Amino acid sequence: MLQKLLPTTLPNWSFKMKITVPLYRQALHRYRNSVQGARRALELVQTTMPSQLQLETEQIPPTNRTIGGISSGHTLTCEVISTLKTNSRTVLYFHGGAYIMSNPKLHRNMTCQLSLLSQCRVVVPEYRKAPDNPYPSALLDAVSTYLYLIDQQDPESIILCGDSAGGGLALSLALYLRDHDLPLPAGIAVMSPWLDLTHSLPSFALHSYDWLPPKSQDPQWIIPGRRSQYYTLSDAMNTHPYVSPLFATENKKPLPPTLIQVGDQERLRDESIVFACSRFPQTSLQLYEDQVHVFQTFASYGEKQSIHAFESIANFVNDPKSLGVSAVDRDCNTTEIPREQLLQRVQQGKRLVEKRAQEQCFKKAMVLPRLPNLALYRC
């Protein structure tokens, strides 16, 4: 497992993943410079609602809280998914989509699976999206939803969950609650969370097998040197802990038990490693061999590791506790890994990125300048 933490060979994927991942990659790369194009492409995704689940909607009133002087003033709609024998737990789930796209309906393959396995009620808010509604709109909607829920039930019966940007939003919400001395949930479980909007760690550059595209260059919204993300209005905001939880630090009030799952072939891998092994070393981390960004979505295809990951999260939801740091191989065998060893791998990746940059500079320096037209100098 550890020999593959830096991608050197094609991942050992199932046949379905060998077909699907390149298709996802091609679609996202094609529309990475167009918000509307990406949204239209995502709308083609088909979702189903299992007959053993119930689907309702609920309206969440705005909170009177402000972030950066901005108030919510927005009523949002939530999907509520439950089983016929739902237990007392509630999962507050934030869907992914780079803060710019997707919705609760398009994430039902994730939320329904989680509800079935955990037997919990799953609440999925339709939080506002950038670039039309940049930070802090999504976080304000997350705060509103959580405060609405704890008016109805004990915070110790709530688990925060999410994938990708939604995973980052779940952790941002937890940090906000901690910093403002509000009741914390029982636990946090996130899948491939986006924790660093600066893309400062090496896996983002090195892991080209992942289906996530590189940075957007959308001329309508992206301004080189000033704004590199749709979610924030300025790059100066990208290191704020509520935007990029990777830059948060521990304080006297610890976060609740936290589980992060991440694929070892995905671009966002190192963010989770540094967060769990350095910034918040009480965090549990599960690193899945050969897997890509939000690989859990392939559970509906029967992908063995994806099913294992969902079962692990479902168990955590009902019994949030520390699980340590472990690697999960293709056969779902689990091996504990020292946190220091994973941090060393990140450093190894940084050196590789630096080496490649130096080689690229050398290649550019070796390009000979064009000779002038000597005919102009003949007598």
Side-chain angles (χ1 to χ4, degrees), residues 13-60:
W13 290 336
S14 66
F15 176 75
K16 286 184 177 179
M17 283 194 65
K18 288 179 181 177
I19 298 297
T20 307
V21 171
L23 289 176
Y24 280 10
R25 185 190 304 125
Q26 183 179 9
L28 286 173
H29 278 244
R30 179 177 181 181
Y31 294 112
R32 69 188 178 96
N33 294 329
S34 170
V35 174
Q36 296 304 323
R39 290 173 177 171
R40 286 194 299 269
L42 196 62
E43 290 293 336
L44 299 176
V45 174
Q46 299 295 315
T47 60
T48 58
M49 190 73 193
S51 58
Q52 58 268 51
L53 292 176
Q54 298 175 328
L55 175 65
E56 300 173 313
T57 59
E58 199 161 342
Q59 300 296 313
I60 308 296

Side-chain angles (χ1 to χ4, degrees), residues 246-313:
L246 182 69
F247 297 98
T249 55
E250 288 188 303
N251 65 17
K252 294 180 180 179
K253 188 176 182 181
L255 293 179
T258 301
L259 170 63
I260 296 178
Q261 293 180 340
V262 66
D264 79 344
Q265 292 286 350
E266 68 167 285
R267 289 185 185 272
L268 306 188
R269 184 200 72 189
D270 290 348
E271 302 171 17
S272 292
I273 290 176
V274 173
F275 185 91
C277 298
S278 177
R279 302 285 197 272
F280 292 84
Q282 301 305 312
T283 302
S284 301
L285 177 67
Q286 294 177 338
L287 188 63
Y288 281 78
E289 179 182 13
D290 281 342
Q291 286 299 348
V292 292
H293 188 62
V294 195
F295 63 93
Q296 294 85 349
T297 191
F298 298 110
S300 58
Y301 294 173
E303 189 68 25
K304 190 175 180 180
Q305 286 176 298
S306 303
I307 295 171
H308 179 278
F310 261 121
E311 290 174 346
S312 179
I313 286 184

Side-chain angles (χ1 to χ4, degrees), residues 218-269:
D218 185 349
Q220 183 177 355
W221 300 98
I222 304 303
I223 306 172
R226 290 175 55 193
R227 183 183 185 183
S228 61
Q229 301 291 351
Y230 294 110
Y231 185 48
T232 53
L233 295 175
S234 167
D235 284 346
M237 305 171 69
N238 291 344
T239 55
H240 193 290
Y242 298 164
V243 174
S244 297
L246 182 69
F247 297 98
T249 55
E250 288 188 303
N251 65 17
K252 294 180 180 179
K253 188 176 182 181
L255 293 179
T258 301
L259 170 63
I260 296 178
Q261 293 180 340
V262 66
D264 79 344
Q265 292 286 350
E266 68 167 285
R267 289 185 185 272
L268 306 188
R269 184 200 72 189

